[in-house]
Amino acid sequence: MIDSENYINEQFAPDDFEFVQQDAKIYDKKFETKPIGYFKDAMIRFCKNKTNVVATIILFILVLLSILVPILTTKNYTVLKYEQANLPPRVPYLEKIGIMDGTRKYTNQTVDINTIDPKTGLGLPVGFNPKYILMDTLKNTKKECSAKAKECVGGENVISLNRKNAAAIISSVLDESNSTTEKKVYKNKVFSFRKVNNPIIKININEIKGKNAAVNLILSSDYRINPANPTYHLVETITETTEINVYEKMEQYLPVYLETYFTSPIILELVNDVDNASVALESVEFRDNKETIVDTGYDLSLYQLVSDKDYSGRYTRQKGILTEASFRFDEYGKALGEKEIFAFSQDEYKKLVEKYPICVPEDDPDNPDPHGKIFPKGCPIRKINGIVGDAQGPDGTVYYSYNITVDYALYQGYEGMPYFLFGTDAAGRDYFTLVWLGLRTSLIVGLIVSSINITIGIIYGAIEGYYGGTLDLLMERFGEIIGRIPFLVWLALFVVLFGPGILTLILLLTVTGWLGVASVTRTQFYRYKGREYVLASRTLGAKDLRIIFRHILPNGIGTLITASILMIPGVIFAESTISYLGYGIGSGQSFKLFGFIQLSGSSIGILLYNGRAELLNKPYLIAFPAIIISILMITFNMFGNALRDAFNPSLRGSE
């Protein structure tokens, strides 16, 4: 081994070394940087993760919108306008590419057969104004139907029997006591048989089933004389399509004074001697030298099935053709386009004309009514179609009302066709405002409840974790008992004591809501209370409160912050459940915060519940609140994670 000291002495002489800065005064260098405090260090770590910063900005934007939008658009949710109810979203620029353009797609809408164009084969749907149908989206489809409706065309009507040796009768005269208003119009359909006109009845049978099953044609010989209690006669029994010369069969039953003319309903009776017999009728045709009446499809389905103790059977329709339409419909045009208003008062007319100086009427060349007027564009009144009645007052002044056509958007105070970014609800309120109003209410309820739960949970959990032992055991058992009581028991108890409302809602959300925070806090105290710095602080005489809040709690604050922040959206979801049951805020209710701040009862939870019933027809009613609350959940989560990292003492000073 080499002796290092001898080696150095051999290699270097003392003269080879010299002192540097022997006579110079050396001082400590001044720090060029400023000291970093705890909160500044936390902010540096908070801003380190750019994603969390963006999420935090989005979260604060949501909170800001929930405060400002309801304040700036108060009338949009306080004034009910049912004429503009359930309008779909309409957004500028997006509407030009067919997205959120204020139209709604309709499918399987019954077509009015009278509107079918013979050239294109397209018909218009029943109950829709053709003016607002986007014709380039109109399509017709056909399907088989069995409904007794005018729109169900063609097909056959079936008389069927369920038991052996039974009978079923249909009659062209309806029983008024069993008829709808529509069928009562059909009630008087009796047929006039004049001998000179050679009347013929043709029964068109598509199919008849059952052994010895047959159809009896029955007519009355004295219905014109005694309609309340007529006499009926069997005219012919048939099993296939048959033409019957009425007078050849009925002449023997007619009184002398009815030999040349009588009236009667057409009655068909199905008889059989086996189970499950039926006859499918294509049509019942009456014709003579003067007219031809063919009852088929819908008309034949209106024949009345006669049933009593001697008869049993069913009368149904099958194999008809129903035409349906699918199309897009301009809901804004329907709600806020041109509308006709009857009995528009003279005073209202004068006020409207005074409010809009541009409303200078001119004679309407297309209206023969002498009172007909037209107005220039920009005036809410488009036309005066006429006047509705007039009356002379005590002073001799003549008062009357107008029948006018108005531009309803201008009439409602809009400068043009409005844009509802999220659509409107069933009461015609702007859904964009309602969503932010609901978010504000939900956030406030969430913050109040979360603050209560966090405060109780931290104090309770800190006592458990710090002192431990028997006290911890007793407090844990108490918490378990509280947590095991069913929600409905708490609900019933608080409703009996306080009734439904905001107080009941807060109590329900706080009675067990603090247990989670208490459990997390207890765990953190058990984790840190045995650390050296805690023991050192206790040795130096620190009090329990100082140890809890100065040494232990700050080390577990990151986990507690995350749990606490995530409690807010959880409370929002819980609030929606309780409000759905009718024991929370409740749709349409309101409450005062701190006794003087008035808040609406329309929360995100209420909006989600109301929109759930319209999920298929009006998905935007649930989509927008769901999107907002989803963003809220994500941003709260990321905000909580950022705070956890920022306030974690073990990361202080780290980059």
Side-chain angles (χ1 to χ4, degrees):
M1 177 179 292
I2 299 174
D3 188 343
S4 58
E5 184 176 352
N6 294 331
Y7 177 78
I8 292 174
N9 291 332
E10 293 175 358
Q11 297 293 324
F12 301 98
D15 295 337
D16 293 335
F17 297 92
E18 64 176 312
F19 288 100
V20 179
Q21 297 178 333
Q22 182 178 3
D23 299 325
K25 294 182 179 180
I26 301 175
Y27 301 94
D28 291 335
K29 288 186 177 180
K30 184 179 179 180
F31 286 107
E32 298 295 335
T33 58
K34 294 181 180 180
I36 299 177
Y38 177 79
F39 288 102
K40 185 174 182 180
D41 182 67
M43 182 57 67
I44 292 172
R45 289 198 301 275
F46 182 87
C47 298
K48 182 179 178 181
N49 190 322
K50 301 302 181 184
T51 304
N52 289 340
V53 172
V54 172
T56 303
I57 293 173
I58 294 174
L59 175 60
F60 278 95
I61 289 174
L62 292 179
V63 174
L64 189 63
L65 288 173
S66 70
I67 296 172
L68 296 180
V69 172
I71 294 175
L72 298 176
T73 57
T74 304
K75 291 184 179 180
N76 290 359
Y77 67 88
T78 56
V79 179
L80 307 184
K81 297 182 178 181
Y82 291 99
E83 65 276 356
Q84 62 187 39
N86 296 320
L87 293 178
R90 183 167 180 254
V91 181
Y93 304 110
L94 289 181
E95 64 176 345
K96 296 180 180 180
I97 58 176
I99 300 174
M100 294 186 175
D101 57 355
T103 65
R104 179 175 286 123
K105 183 175 178 59
Y106 288 89
T107 58
N108 303 326
Q109 300 298 312
T110 301
V111 168
D112 183 353
I113 58 176
N114 297 319
T115 65
I116 295 178
D117 189 336
K119 295 182 179 179
T120 63
L122 292 177
L124 301 175
V126 177
F128 290 86
N129 189 335
K131 182 178 180 180
Y132 303 115
I133 295 176
L134 277 61
M135 289 301 178
D136 57 336
T137 66
L138 179 64
K139 295 180 181 179
N140 285 177
T141 57
K142 298 182 183 297
K143 71 175 186 179
E144 188 172 309
C145 61
S146 58
K148 292 185 178 182
K150 292 180 180 179
E151 291 74 23
C152 187
V153 180
E156 56 189 20
N157 292 274
V158 181
I159 311 172
S160 55
L161 292 168
N162 296 325
R163 72 171 192 263
K164 185 177 180 180
N165 296 322
I169 293 178
I170 61 170
S171 170
S172 64
V173 174
L174 305 182
D175 179 5
E176 185 173 0
S177 63
N178 295 325
S179 300
T180 63
T181 302
E182 181 184 4
K183 291 182 178 180
K184 286 180 182 179
V185 177
Y186 191 82
K187 173 180 175 292
N188 296 321
K189 189 168 186 179
V190 293
F191 297 86
S192 298
F193 300 93
R194 297 182 182 275
K195 185 175 183 179
V196 67
N197 291 335
N198 190 30
I200 300 293
I201 293 178
K202 181 179 181 181
I203 311 298
N204 289 294
I205 297 177
N206 287 342
E207 183 180 22
I208 190 166
K209 295 180 180 179
K211 183 180 179 181
N212 298 326
V215 176
N216 294 329
L217 172 62
I218 299 174
L219 299 176
S220 170
S221 59
D222 58 352
Y223 188 85
R224 181 160 63 96
I225 307 301
N226 187 20
N229 189 26
T231 303
Y232 290 103
H233 306 279
L234 174 62
V235 177
E236 184 89 2
T237 299
I238 60 177
T239 58
E240 59 184 5
T241 298
T242 305
E243 287 192 4
I244 301 164
N245 189 303
V246 177
Y247 266 92
E248 287 182 0
K249 304 293 182 179
M250 285 291 293
E251 201 163 14
Q252 57 182 315
Y253 305 116
L254 298 175
V256 175
Y257 55 86
L258 294 177
E259 285 182 349
T260 61
Y261 168 64
F262 73 97
T263 61
S264 173
I266 294 178
I267 297 175
L268 300 176
E269 179 186 35
L270 173 64
V271 294
N272 74 313
D273 56 8
V274 295
D275 293 337
N276 300 321
S278 65
V279 58
L281 301 173
E282 179 182 341
S283 64
V284 172
E285 181 180 338
F286 166 81
R287 69 174 185 272
D288 59 17
N289 297 337
K290 297 292 185 179
E291 64 177 341
T292 297
I293 299 174
V294 181
D295 287 335
T296 185
Y298 171 69
D299 291 334
L300 186 57
S301 74
L302 293 179
Y303 279 39
Q304 178 71 30
L305 175 66
V306 180
S307 298
D308 55 30
K309 63 181 180 179
D310 297 322
Y311 301 100
S312 67
R314 291 177 294 126
Y315 186 47
T316 57
R317 192 174 179 192
Q318 65 183 24
K319 299 181 181 179
I321 299 298
L322 178 68
T323 304
E324 294 182 332
S326 62
F327 54 93
R328 297 200 71 86
F329 188 74
D330 182 5
E331 297 287 352
Y332 281 71
K334 174 189 174 184
L336 298 168
E338 290 189 359
K339 287 187 177 182
E340 193 169 0
I341 300 178
F342 295 92
F344 192 78
S345 72
Q346 191 174 11
D347 290 339
E348 289 294 324
Y349 170 78
K350 289 180 179 179
K351 290 179 182 178
L352 205 58
V353 171
E354 291 174 0
K355 183 178 179 181
Y356 293 88
I358 196 175
C359 294
V360 179
E362 298 179 359
D363 292 335
D364 186 356
D366 299 326
N367 189 350
D369 191 301
H371 299 92
K373 302 290 182 181
I374 58 174
F375 291 80
K377 189 175 181 180
C379 176
I381 305 174
R382 303 302 301 132
K383 294 180 181 179
I384 295 179
N385 303 312
I387 61 173
V388 183
D390 56 71
Q392 188 171 356
D395 58 352
T397 304
V398 177
Y399 297 92
Y400 47 85
S401 299
Y402 293 98
N403 173 8
I404 66 173
T405 299
V406 299
D407 184 328
Y408 209 70
L410 293 176
Y411 179 65
Q412 287 295 316
Y414 300 109
E415 294 182 358
M417 195 64 74
Y419 289 94
F420 295 110
L421 304 183
F422 288 0
T424 62
D425 70 347
R429 297 172 297 182
D430 183 6
Y431 207 60
F432 179 79
T433 302
L434 280 181
V435 168
W436 298 114
L437 178 69
L439 180 62
R440 184 183 70 178
T441 304
S442 296
L443 282 171
I444 290 174
V445 172
L447 288 172
I448 293 173
V449 173
S450 298
S451 299
I452 297 172
N453 287 338
I454 291 167
T455 303
I456 297 174
I458 288 177
I459 295 173
Y460 195 90
I463 295 172
E464 282 185 292
Y466 183 75
Y467 292 102
T470 303
L471 180 61
D472 179 32
L473 182 65
L474 292 175
M475 295 179 74
E476 274 292 288
R477 299 295 79 78
F478 174 76
E480 289 179 2
I481 292 172
I482 295 294
R484 292 294 186 273
I485 298 177
F487 166 76
L488 290 178
V489 174
W490 290 117
L491 177 62
L493 177 63
F494 291 137
V495 168
V496 169
L497 293 176
F498 308 107
I502 186 63
L503 178 60
T504 298
L505 174 65
I506 293 176
L507 289 175
L508 282 171
L509 293 174
T510 56
V511 66
T512 58
W514 54 271
L515 291 174
V517 178
S519 178
V520 173
T521 305
R522 175 178 175 269
T523 302
Q524 295 302 309
F525 269 73
Y526 267 109
R527 178 181 178 185
Y528 291 108
K529 73 176 184 177
R531 297 292 176 89
E532 291 81 357
Y533 60 86
V534 176
L535 297 176
S537 180
R538 185 180 291 113
T539 302
L540 293 173
K543 302 294 185 182
D544 289 346
L545 288 178
R546 179 176 177 81
I547 294 174
I548 289 173
F549 292 105
R550 185 71 178 88
H551 299 292
I552 300 178
L553 189 59
N555 285 279
I557 198 70
T559 304
L560 290 174
I561 285 175
T562 304
S564 302
I565 291 297
L566 292 178
M567 181 181 291
I568 297 175
V571 169
I572 293 173
F573 278 114
E575 171 270 322
S576 66
T577 301
I578 298 171
S579 296
Y580 161 72
L581 294 175
Y583 299 106
I585 301 173
S587 181
Q589 297 183 13
S590 61
F591 64 95
K592 287 187 176 181
L593 184 63
F594 307 125
F596 63 91
I597 301 177
Q598 189 76 23
L599 293 176
S600 167
S602 181
S603 67
I604 287 288
I606 293 295
L607 296 179
L608 286 171
Y609 167 69
N610 292 338
R612 185 178 61 178
E614 300 288 352
L615 179 59
L616 297 179
N617 297 325
K618 304 174 185 69
Y620 60 90
L621 292 178
I622 197 170
F624 290 115
I627 290 171
I628 294 297
I629 202 168
S630 298
I631 296 174
L632 194 70
M633 278 287 290
I634 295 171
T635 53
F636 259 121
N637 190 7
M638 300 181 73
F639 179 60
N641 291 337
L643 289 180
R644 178 195 61 196
D645 296 338
F647 289 101
N648 188 346
S650 64
L651 298 177
R652 185 173 185 184
S654 63
E655 293 297 332

